[in-house]
Amino acid sequence: MSKSAYEVINPARNRSCVVFASPHSGRDYTWTFMRSSVLDEHAIRSSEDAFVDQFFDCAPEYGASFIKAGAPRAFVDLNRAPDELDPALIEGVRRQGHNPRIASGLGVIPRVVANGRAIYRGKLTREEAYRRIENYWRPYHDKLQSMLDEAHQRHGQAVLIDCHSMPHEAMNGVVRSGMKRPDIVLGDRFGAAASGDVVDRVEAAFASAGFVVTRNTPFAGAYITQAYGRPARAQHAVQVEIDRSLYMNETLIRPNGDFEQVQAALRGVVAEVALIGQGRVPLAAE
């Protein structure tokens, strides 16, 4: 069992309505989990958002809260609905309609990691799947919602920045001739998860730090942005995807020579985004 479902770092004084979150950077690969997998310690990390937590855990320095997962994505995917159970992996689960995430092996209990590599030799029991959801998925989401509720109560609004990374190759089919290759993809579910004003400010923060930014293609946001993005209630959610090749060797899963430079640039982005909830730039209501 992983040590904890999540870790929270709060500021000494909460000055921001922004909550930064890293649901896929958990790396507590327990001996029990690894023994159940056919993958080695390196291969199983291929779908992890390695190092993303290190870019955003500075948020408390700027008055915002930060939460990150403890358990790894290969163990339980916090960016999936708890009922996205894969009948090809979990015993006794019936197929209900077509869900492309489940079909590709990327349900709430993933069957595969990157490039479709199977995690397990056989199936898991339904009890094991439910145990992971109850012990890791639910506590993370309960805590995340309580953090957003607290931000809303304190500031009259809440903004979730849901932080992820993407393989460099993810943009290969998106980049058209003559356009700059995006470094960052912001997902707001095409306006359903956050007001345009919020997303504009997040985009401006990344752009002013020198990043090339695009929106919603190919990542518009998954379960978390869908579940938490309620702009009509002044609760906004924006998914951030960062090109891994900017700061790491994707094959080795190690920082590259630009890691510290990217980290410094993202620190500036965090500082700027945190200002959204500090009274200097009031959000427009929707």
Side-chain angles (χ1 to χ4, degrees), residues 15-261:
R15 305 188 305 273
S16 177
C17 72
V18 181
V19 174
F20 292 86
S22 182
H24 285 164
S25 60
R27 50 186 174 272
D28 189 5
Y29 295 89
T30 65
W31 179 83
T32 304
F33 175 46
M34 291 304 302
R35 189 179 62 169
S36 72
S37 176
V38 297
L39 299 175
D40 61 31
E41 294 178 356
H42 181 80
I44 205 163
R45 295 187 64 197
S46 60
S47 58
E48 174 191 312
D49 285 345
F51 313 115
V52 166
D53 55 325
Q54 296 180 40
F55 296 141
F56 295 94
D57 63 5
C58 62
E61 297 176 31
Y62 305 102
S65 294
F66 174 71
I67 180 172
K68 68 173 181 177
R73 181 185 188 183
F75 183 78
V76 58
D77 193 336
L78 303 176
N79 201 19
R80 297 290 182 265
D83 61 354
E84 289 189 272
L85 297 169
D86 186 350
L89 174 65
I90 302 165
E91 294 174 350
V93 171
R94 292 184 178 181
R95 189 178 304 277
Q96 298 181 348
H98 177 69
N99 180 313
R101 293 187 292 269
I102 294 175
S104 62
L106 298 173
V108 64
I109 310 297
R111 174 166 38 92
V112 302
V113 292
N115 299 318
R117 288 172 291 182
I119 298 172
Y120 306 97
R121 293 178 181 85
K123 287 193 170 187
L124 301 179
T125 65
R126 188 159 47 179
E127 289 73 23
E128 171 62 16
Y130 290 159
R131 185 186 70 81
R132 295 185 191 185
I133 290 167
E134 288 303 314
N135 290 346
Y136 298 96
W137 189 97
R138 207 163 299 284
Y140 178 90
H141 284 280
D142 287 348
K143 184 61 177 179
L144 177 58
Q145 185 61 68
S146 73
M147 293 169 73
L148 292 170
D149 290 344
E150 184 178 336
H152 196 283
Q153 184 176 15
R154 190 187 301 264
H155 304 283
Q157 58 204 5
V159 177
L160 170 61
I161 305 298
D162 191 47
C163 307
H164 298 262
S165 65
M166 59 183 177
H168 182 70
E169 64 186 21
M171 300 305 296
N172 288 349
V174 176
V175 178
R176 296 183 298 276
S177 178
M179 72 177 285
K180 288 186 176 180
R181 188 183 188 93
D183 304 313
I184 307 290
V185 179
L186 301 180
D188 65 353
R189 299 189 66 83
F190 298 94
S195 74
D197 183 50
V198 170
V199 187
D200 285 348
R201 289 172 185 167
V202 175
E203 180 173 350
F206 279 102
S208 66
F211 295 100
V212 179
V213 188
T214 191
R215 297 188 191 183
N216 292 313
T217 304
F219 304 108
Y223 171 78
I224 289 174
T225 44
Q226 182 177 14
Y228 293 96
R230 297 288 184 267
R233 303 178 195 169
Q235 180 173 292
H236 310 268
V238 180
Q239 178 177 282
V240 175
E241 296 276 359
I242 309 169
D243 185 342
R244 294 173 185 165
S245 70
L246 295 176
Y247 57 87
M248 66 180 276
N249 181 311
E250 294 184 73
T251 302
L252 299 177
I253 316 182
R254 293 179 183 170
N256 64 23
D258 294 323
F259 184 89
E260 292 183 358
Q261 180 180 346

